[in-house]
Amino acid sequence: MTLSQTDIVELTTDTLLPAFLAERRRLDTIDLWYRWAHEDLVIPNGATREMKALLQLARTPWLGLVVTGVAQSMYVDGYRTPEAKDDAAPWMLFRRNGLQSRQSAIHRAMLAYGRSYGTSLPGKDPVTDEDTVVMRGYSPRNMLAFWGDPVVDEYPMYSIRGIAQGDHWLLEVLDGDAKYHLTTEVPSGSGEQVRYLDDQIHDAGVCPVVQFSNLLDLEGRTDGEVEPLIPLAKRIDKTAYDRLLIQHFNSYKVRWATGLSQPEDDEAANLRLRLRQDDLLINESPDGAFGTLPETTMDGILKAYETDIKTLAAASQTSVYALTGDMINVNAEGLAAARAEADAKLSERKMSAGGTWDKWLRLSSYLNGDDASANDFLAEVTWADTSTRSLAAAADALGKIATQLQVPPRALWTLIPGVSKTMADEWKQMAEEDDPIAQFSATLDRQAG
């Protein structure tokens, strides 16, 4: 049963919109650090223009790199069920909605902010105009779900999405029955002018929203990769700023002299400052002297900077060489050891995101009228192998797996570096076309069907 206009306006005004705007303000701070526009360090009030310019140079998007290091290894390339050799039917919905390219944005938002969202709603194919399920991913800065129990419940009770339109918001509210459109002309979120526009029935039976969680604990908290590391990123920027100050103002020797006679005119004074390498200064005073003040050494500040980066790598479970690039002539065992923590983190994130992809595809199948796929709880997404290996080493390892462990060679094709799932499917089709037994079996299957 859809909510009345009065009820949905009241719910949005009192609960949904204020919570959404408050959460957006919190995520805006995280967004600045995730990208490259984070706040400046605190410097003295009397800082010169040169010192402020150096402050801009000290900014480095370290936390964006932490997110990228995981996101670039998370790529869904199939949806399989043990009962079939090919991809399950929901994979066509995945492809039809362009999620092969949009999935990266969904994963990055999940990692950076702690969560991201996906929705499934009835719609039309933009090219063929056929009825289909429209699957879209959203950033938590633009959408917020409301749960009865975020740990136990499979789907939220409500969700709200805000679209900024000049001096007002366009709002979309979802529940288990319909999608409601509202608007407000109060960007501050006081909610005094929320107006109802229309609604669309979707009949999903549940609020058709899934949440991708980076780290969901038993209290419903979803921490992202960026927020816990902001203090450490500030420390790295401070160390970089101190290094730039030393480099700019104190990295050269200061020459001094005493007892020199004062030039009689300004022109001579200017010439005195323009010394060449072969010029000679003569001091007529018996008490005169020459000397230099040493420059400030950079060793200590550079070591501190390196230590801060290594601390960031340890705290974020990121490979040190991914942040510093300091890895030369390392054997396979050493590389595996260096990547152990990062690989463990990646596996955990894939497990979390993979379960959500499975649920999202089952929900979409149900809305598309495919009850069999909606009830297939054994089907799961498959992840592309993005590890960096040489072709020769991979071929040797995969050959041993096929011969010694009796794994079918075709099952290993997608593990070959540079071979996509589409390419492996083409190889499979070519192999079947050249296999007379497979052709005879396919003919019998068609006749029996």
Side-chain angles (χ1 to χ4, degrees), residues 125-425:
D125 187 287
V127 177
T128 64
D129 201 39
E130 296 178 354
D131 291 335
T132 186
V133 174
V134 178
M135 304 172 66
R136 291 292 182 265
Y138 295 105
S139 164
R141 295 179 64 235
N142 299 323
M143 188 173 187
L144 180 63
F146 295 80
W147 305 77
D149 187 331
V151 178
V152 177
D153 295 346
E154 287 289 327
Y155 299 96
M157 298 186 300
Y158 306 101
S159 72
I160 182 173
R161 184 167 75 96
I163 307 169
Q165 296 285 340
D167 60 349
H168 66 283
W169 288 92
L170 292 179
L171 305 175
E172 290 183 356
V173 177
L174 284 170
D175 64 8
D177 299 304
K179 176 172 67 172
Y180 308 88
H181 294 100
L182 306 99
T183 183
T184 175
E185 297 178 358
V186 186
S188 62
S190 64
E192 296 177 358
Q193 299 183 26
V194 173
R195 293 185 295 109
Y196 176 89
L197 297 178
D198 59 37
D199 61 69
Q200 297 175 358
I201 306 300
H202 58 68
D203 286 334
V206 296
C207 182
V209 175
V210 296
Q211 175 176 283
F212 289 83
S213 301
N214 183 53
L215 285 174
L216 178 65
D217 64 15
L218 295 179
E219 298 183 30
R221 296 171 296 194
T222 55
D223 298 324
E225 300 296 323
V226 174
E227 189 174 19
L229 300 174
I230 289 178
L232 182 52
K234 289 182 179 180
R235 192 167 79 200
I236 295 176
D237 280 356
K238 176 64 169 62
T239 308
Y241 180 61
D242 292 343
R243 193 260 299 177
L244 289 172
L245 288 176
I246 295 173
Q247 180 178 333
H248 187 72
F249 294 105
N250 304 100
S251 61
Y252 52 88
K253 298 183 186 304
V254 177
R255 297 175 177 84
W256 59 267
T258 61
L260 294 177
S261 59
Q262 181 69 24
E264 296 180 357
D265 52 37
D266 293 339
E267 182 178 357
N270 291 333
L271 291 175
R272 182 190 64 179
L273 300 177
R274 300 175 183 175
L275 297 176
R276 296 174 300 182
Q277 184 178 5
D278 55 349
D279 284 344
L280 178 66
L281 285 177
I282 300 176
N283 196 331
E284 299 177 353
S285 172
D287 298 325
F290 296 96
T292 61
L293 297 177
E295 70 278 10
T296 303
T297 61
M298 303 280 288
D299 295 342
I301 200 71
L302 291 176
K303 185 175 181 180
Y305 189 64
E306 182 180 354
T307 300
D308 287 343
I309 294 175
K310 289 181 178 179
T311 304
L312 174 63
S316 63
Q317 286 185 274
T318 304
S319 301
V320 176
Y321 70 85
L323 299 179
T324 64
D326 295 338
M327 179 167 284
I328 302 174
N329 296 329
V330 178
N331 57 27
E333 290 76 13
L335 182 62
R339 285 196 53 87
E341 292 295 324
D343 288 342
K345 174 182 175 180
L346 175 61
S347 297
E348 187 179 35
R349 301 307 186 270
K350 282 183 176 180
M351 183 180 299
S352 176
T356 305
W357 279 114
D358 299 341
K359 180 169 66 175
W360 193 7
L361 288 172
R362 286 192 292 106
L363 171 65
S364 300
S365 298
Y366 171 75
L367 295 177
N368 205 42
D370 185 357
D371 292 339
S373 296
N375 286 286
D376 187 359
F377 294 92
L378 296 180
E380 60 182 3
V381 295
T382 58
W383 298 91
D385 182 12
T386 58
S387 57
T388 302
R389 297 169 296 166
S390 68
L391 183 60
D396 182 64
L398 296 176
K400 291 180 179 179
I401 292 175
T403 56
Q404 297 178 10
L405 301 181
Q406 303 300 310
V407 177
R410 295 185 184 183
L412 304 174
W413 286 351
T414 56
L415 301 181
I416 301 174
V419 175
S420 65
K421 181 180 176 301
T422 301
M423 187 182 299
D425 290 341

